[in-house]
Amino acid sequence: MANKEFKAESKRLLDMMIHSIYTHREIFLRELISNASDAIDKLYYRSLNENITGLNRDDFSIQISVDKDARTLTLSDNGIGMDENDLENNLGTIAQSGSLAFKKENAANEDIDIIGQFGVGFYSAFMVSDKVTVITKPYGSDKAWKWESAGAEGYSIEETQKDGHGTDIILTIKPSTEEENYDEFLDSYRLQGLVKKYSDYIRYPIKMEVEKSRMKEGTGTEEKPAEYEQYTEVETLNSMVPIWKKNRSELKPEDYNNFYKEKFFDFQDPLLTIHSSTEGAATYNALLFIPGRPPFDFFTKEYQKGLQLYASGVLIMDKCADLLPDYFSFVRGLVDSQDLSLNISREMLQHDRQLKLIADRLEKKIKSELKGLLEKDREKYETFYKAFGLTLKYGAYSDYGAHKDVLQDLLMFYSSSEKKLVTLAEYKERMKEEQKYIYYACGETVEKIDRLPQTELLKDHGYEILYLTDDVDEFALKMMRDFEGKEFRSAADKDLGIEEAAETDETKAKAEESKELLRMMKDALEGKVTDVRLSGRLKSHPVCLSADGGISLEMEKVLNTMPGSGQQVKAQRVLELNPSHPVFETLKNLFATDAEQVKTYANLLYNQALLIEGLPIEDPVAFSEAICNLMTR
Ligand code: ADP
């Protein structure tokens, strides 16, 4: 019998398991039970699709048995079984592509809690066993196989004998040491507890011979005092009612949390649990979770959104994408409906009216639950928003703002006056009577935005400003256009809707007076700006940049850093000068005496405005030289 080596990555995972100091070693049992249940599901599903007779749902079960003397714990199922190839492919390598990819990404970080992060499945058996033996026979075959491994050294496969189809997993439990107690996994009472805790909802009976005690017959009467005898009885340990079919009142938060963590391979409790049942036009039970943080691959192309879909309790699809809109792609969970047929194909599902109805209902439900959270537990909502706010904002931007109604109440931005995240409704509520717009300003950080010259006038008026720090923010607001009739307006916009900033007769006169100066500056900045203007929005700063047209400076930055954008986008830059600033006086004086110097100053001021905006200056060396010249004059 040849000993085969595990594939490299499996070996590493296996090593981690064997040397695991993981405190939740007990999860190996739920992993093996879940594999057994999957194997039965596969066979049952096949029997339905292929009309196999002779397979009765009631005959399926998972058996647990213990031999204390031999220190073995055996899990048997009468599921689909495995042939030689399956054994090679399934148990010789890691099946879960997710955990593999994750391990690659985090190759340097050995300590990452991979066990908590994923269902590591079958290999977890090595956390508690010295040796693992698998005896299996595929349904419909007359050959049985034995796979055996004592750990990282490798495994062997040989032909063997087995009565019925299905799989026995035989664990030789490690001896207990002073520090570690492994005997507990041979204790039937403890095993019963573990099944209840982790696998109660499994839809096939998990049976075990349980030791019991009863009064001997004929004792316990006046003549004969009670005598007791031990006997054993096979008991079904799990209730088999899936948690989503149970009544909400029967369930404790930890029941939901355990279920979530086990099912979706998270070691953190979910932030929010939504358990709903509906009857009528669409009849279904849904159990949805909002994770406490984004899954490790959430921001990659590989992440697949979707909910598990069950038809009358039988899993028919693992990630049904049609059940979730993109902007709620972070939601995990499942839907069980009796309105769907068991052998419906993926293609048919896509056009299923019932499924669309369910998806609509779920979207509304998720939205209302999130809104409820925002109202009832702000802190928790902010945790949620920090994790998934970006997804909501992309949603507001996508499809030309079509999802505005669903999302606008869920959005939050940092407020200049409140110094924290606020909702659009809260902003609107605080707006001054004469205030026309919802103002925003963009930048890298809140601190940087707070010091932007463009915000001065607005602050002077006591207007609140939303500080946008994410790339998508301004795009989202532009797409939404307004919130309940109040338009969004950038602090850098030409028209702020403030009298004082608008062209008054006085500023018009001033501009007229300095027409030639402004023209000379504009010529000096040919190709860099489309205009040089006097500004009404500046208070203490000499200059700022603004943009004409639909593309702001922030949007220019974002669009040009997008991969594959190719063509460079350019905002129509406008250099604004503060006519009340001493620098403007200097310019005016120079204009009369030293026109060349005006050109130099124009460039200096333009570069300053770029720096304030956080935009790169074209020629830092020339800029620095010009300043040195000024200093040494
Ligand atoms: P996962 O279950 O996440 O795919 P595992 O490592 O737990 O990963 O199992 C690997 C594969 O081995 C399974 O996908 C399944 O094909 C097969 N397998 C494991 N246990 C059984 C079993 N009891 N009966 C049939 N096949 C099994």
Side-chain angles (χ1 to χ4, degrees):
M1 174 175 55
N3 200 48
K4 302 188 181 192
E5 291 224 356
F6 285 104
K7 299 255 163 61
E9 59 272 13
S10 307
K11 201 168 162 182
R12 278 204 37 213
L13 185 54
L14 203 61
D15 267 337
M16 287 172 70
M17 290 297 143
I18 293 166
H19 301 118
S20 165
I21 43 160
Y22 193 56
T23 42
H24 298 301
R25 277 189 303 246
E26 62 193 38
I27 56 127
F28 83 92
L29 190 66
R30 72 149 200 235
E31 297 289 319
L32 297 183
I33 289 177
S34 144
N35 280 349
S37 163
D38 287 351
I40 298 176
D41 266 346
K42 282 179 198 161
L43 182 56
Y44 181 55
Y45 191 57
R46 202 171 120 190
S47 77
L48 288 174
N49 272 332
E50 297 172 15
N51 284 322
I52 301 174
T53 48
L55 281 176
N56 199 333
R57 198 174 190 288
D58 295 338
D59 297 335
F60 289 119
S61 73
I62 300 164
Q63 313 266 352
I64 300 180
S65 54
V66 172
D67 181 338
K68 279 195 177 157
D69 297 329
R71 291 191 73 79
T72 57
L73 169 64
T74 303
L75 265 112
S76 307
D77 66 68
N78 50 359
I80 197 148
M82 286 178 271
D83 63 17
E84 193 181 8
N85 257 334
D86 295 336
L87 281 173
E88 188 79 51
N89 294 334
N90 297 339
L91 305 187
T93 53
I94 301 181
Q96 278 241 337
S97 58
S99 52
L100 188 61
F102 181 79
K103 258 166 44 64
K104 276 192 187 139
E105 271 170 37
N106 295 281
N109 192 351
E110 295 274 343
D111 298 334
I112 273 200
D113 184 1
I114 193 164
I115 303 171
Q117 200 99 344
F118 305 98
V120 282
F122 175 74
Y123 287 144
S124 62
F126 285 95
M127 290 198 286
V128 300
S129 324
D130 276 338
K131 187 171 78 178
V132 178
T133 311
V134 179
I135 312 267
T136 181
K137 189 172 178 184
Y139 176 79
S141 161
D142 49 11
K143 275 193 180 168
W145 300 94
K146 174 168 147 182
W147 178 101
E148 195 161 72
S149 168
E153 289 319 306
Y155 60 92
S156 61
I157 299 177
E158 62 181 1
E159 211 181 320
T160 188
Q161 298 293 318
K162 184 182 183 317
D163 281 346
H165 57 87
T167 305
D168 301 334
I169 313 266
I170 306 157
L171 311 181
T172 307
I173 300 292
K174 292 183 186 184
S176 287
T177 63
E178 252 171 47
E179 297 94 50
E180 308 284 350
N181 171 23
Y182 293 99
D183 292 357
E184 58 175 331
F185 302 120
L186 296 166
D187 174 55
S188 93
Y189 194 69
R190 173 85 170 119
L191 292 169
Q192 285 176 57
L194 289 179
V195 170
K196 260 281 177 248
K197 178 170 175 193
Y198 292 113
S199 312
D200 189 58
Y201 70 94
I202 293 284
R203 281 169 298 107
Y204 304 102
I206 303 169
K207 296 181 177 173
M208 187 165 79
E209 211 168 66
V210 185
E211 277 209 352
K212 295 189 163 178
S213 162
R214 67 182 161 207
M215 213 194 294
K216 268 190 187 167
E217 230 175 287
T219 69
T221 57
E222 277 200 11
E223 301 87 59
K224 259 196 155 186
E227 280 176 40
Y228 292 89
E229 62 180 359
Q230 300 287 88
Y231 72 104
T232 56
E233 195 174 83
V234 175
E235 245 186 32
T236 296
L237 309 180
N238 53 330
S239 76
M240 287 186 278
V241 180
I243 181 168
W244 60 91
K245 284 258 173 87
K246 287 188 185 167
N247 220 318
R248 259 172 300 197
S249 57
E250 297 174 42
L251 295 160
K252 293 192 285 293
E254 71 215 59
D255 296 327
Y256 287 119
N257 293 350
N258 280 338
F259 175 80
Y260 164 77
K261 288 192 277 194
E262 166 197 348
K263 188 134 187 132
F264 297 104
F265 311 134
D266 200 345
F267 57 83
Q268 208 169 307
D269 286 340
L271 205 76
L272 192 69
T273 300
I274 306 171
H275 186 182
S276 78
S277 317
T278 320
E279 280 177 35
T283 304
Y284 64 84
N285 295 292
L287 185 51
L288 310 180
F289 300 96
I290 296 188
R293 58 186 177 132
F296 77 99
D297 61 348
F298 187 64
F299 297 105
T300 69
K301 280 206 306 291
E302 281 70 43
Y303 181 79
Q304 280 183 311
K305 64 163 185 169
L307 299 176
Q308 282 197 332
L309 185 60
Y310 288 78
S312 308
V314 177
L315 181 68
I316 56 171
M317 201 196 263
D318 197 35
K319 283 206 168 141
C320 182
D322 296 321
L323 282 170
L324 284 179
D326 283 344
Y327 42 87
F328 289 153
S329 60
F330 46 80
V331 176
R332 324 202 65 173
L334 55 92
V335 177
D336 189 350
S337 173
Q338 65 202 48
D339 301 342
L340 301 164
S341 106
L342 261 182
N343 41 15
I344 189 166
S345 73
R346 254 157 223 259
E347 292 68 36
M348 273 159 67
L349 257 182
Q350 267 178 2
H351 306 289
D352 194 84
R353 212 179 56 84
Q354 214 56 31
L355 196 76
K356 281 207 173 63
L357 213 62
I358 298 177
D360 285 349
R361 289 273 176 91
L362 291 180
E363 175 181 324
K364 289 204 180 72
K365 183 77 189 160
I366 296 167
K367 181 194 163 166
S368 73
E369 290 281 332
L370 283 174
K371 218 173 154 206
L373 184 68
L374 173 62
E375 281 153 18
K376 284 194 236 79
D377 190 343
R378 181 89 171 202
E379 206 178 310
K380 214 169 181 187
Y381 187 82
E382 286 190 22
T383 309
F384 155 76
Y385 197 74
K386 283 193 181 109
F388 301 112
L390 208 54
T391 310
L392 299 183
K393 291 189 285 192
Y394 272 105
Y397 168 60
S398 67
D399 302 327
Y400 303 98
H403 317 296
K404 178 178 165 181
D405 285 348
V406 186
L407 297 173
Q408 60 183 358
D409 296 330
L410 300 177
L411 300 183
M412 290 181 115
F413 298 98
Y414 185 90
S415 150
S416 61
S417 58
E418 305 305 300
K419 314 273 181 230
K420 60 173 191 178
L421 291 172
V422 300
T423 65
L424 296 173
E426 286 160 357
Y427 182 108
K428 188 167 172 247
E429 182 70 30
R430 275 192 293 269
M431 277 173 81
K432 303 234 155 146
E433 209 173 312
E434 79 289 355
Q435 187 181 340
K436 278 200 198 150
Y437 302 118
I438 297 179
Y439 297 106
Y440 66 84
C442 311
E444 245 171 85
T445 62
V446 162
E447 293 72 29
K448 281 190 186 173
I449 303 174
D450 202 38
R451 291 167 54 196
L452 282 179
Q454 289 92 327
T455 62
E456 279 192 316
L457 179 73
L458 294 173
K459 282 185 195 154
D460 241 39
H461 278 258
Y463 294 161
E464 187 173 351
I465 310 169
L466 299 175
Y467 289 174
L468 312 187
T469 48
D470 279 324
D471 284 356
V472 68
D473 291 350
E474 190 177 14
F475 292 88
L477 292 192
K478 288 223 168 187
M479 212 48 112
M480 300 204 309
R481 267 201 77 235
D482 67 342
F483 174 75
E484 294 177 356
K486 295 285 176 194
E487 262 182 62
F488 299 113
R489 190 54 57 102
S490 163
D493 199 282
K494 193 159 59 170
D495 173 16
L496 290 177
I498 299 174
E499 280 295 316
E500 196 185 321
E503 285 213 309
T504 58
D505 288 346
E506 196 193 330
T507 49
K508 260 191 210 152
K510 267 194 186 166
E512 186 60 34
E513 212 177 276
S514 318
K515 205 163 82 186
E516 294 304 318
L517 167 64
L518 296 177
R519 174 163 321 136
M520 178 181 277
M521 291 182 76
K522 186 178 161 189
D523 289 344
L525 296 173
E526 168 91 65
K528 294 174 182 158
V529 300
T530 49
D531 205 3
V532 178
R533 279 188 212 132
L534 294 189
S535 176
R537 89 182 85 221
L538 292 170
K539 290 275 151 188
S540 61
H541 290 74
V543 277
C544 74
L545 273 184
S546 65
D548 276 355
I551 297 179
S552 72
L553 294 163
E554 273 309 309
M555 291 164 87
E556 172 189 303
K557 259 190 266 176
V558 175
L559 290 171
N560 291 340
T561 47
M562 277 196 319
S565 57
Q567 212 179 339
Q568 294 280 298
V569 178
K570 238 180 154 39
Q572 293 182 36
R573 298 175 184 196
V574 175
L575 184 69
E576 296 193 15
L577 297 174
N578 181 352
S580 324
H581 197 279
V583 162
F584 189 64
E585 285 307 309
T586 309
L587 285 169
K588 278 205 293 200
N589 293 338
L590 274 180
F591 181 63
T593 57
D594 188 351
E596 271 314 300
Q597 198 66 10
V598 170
K599 288 181 190 164
T600 310
Y601 278 31
N603 271 295
L604 271 174
L605 286 167
Y606 172 65
N607 282 330
Q608 285 183 32
L610 284 175
L611 287 174
I612 292 172
E613 274 312 311
L615 288 163
I617 49 179
E618 277 160 38
D619 190 346
V621 177
F623 178 64
S624 165
E625 274 169 8
I627 288 185
C628 284
N629 283 342
L630 264 183
M631 288 173 157
T632 50
R633 251 188 353 167

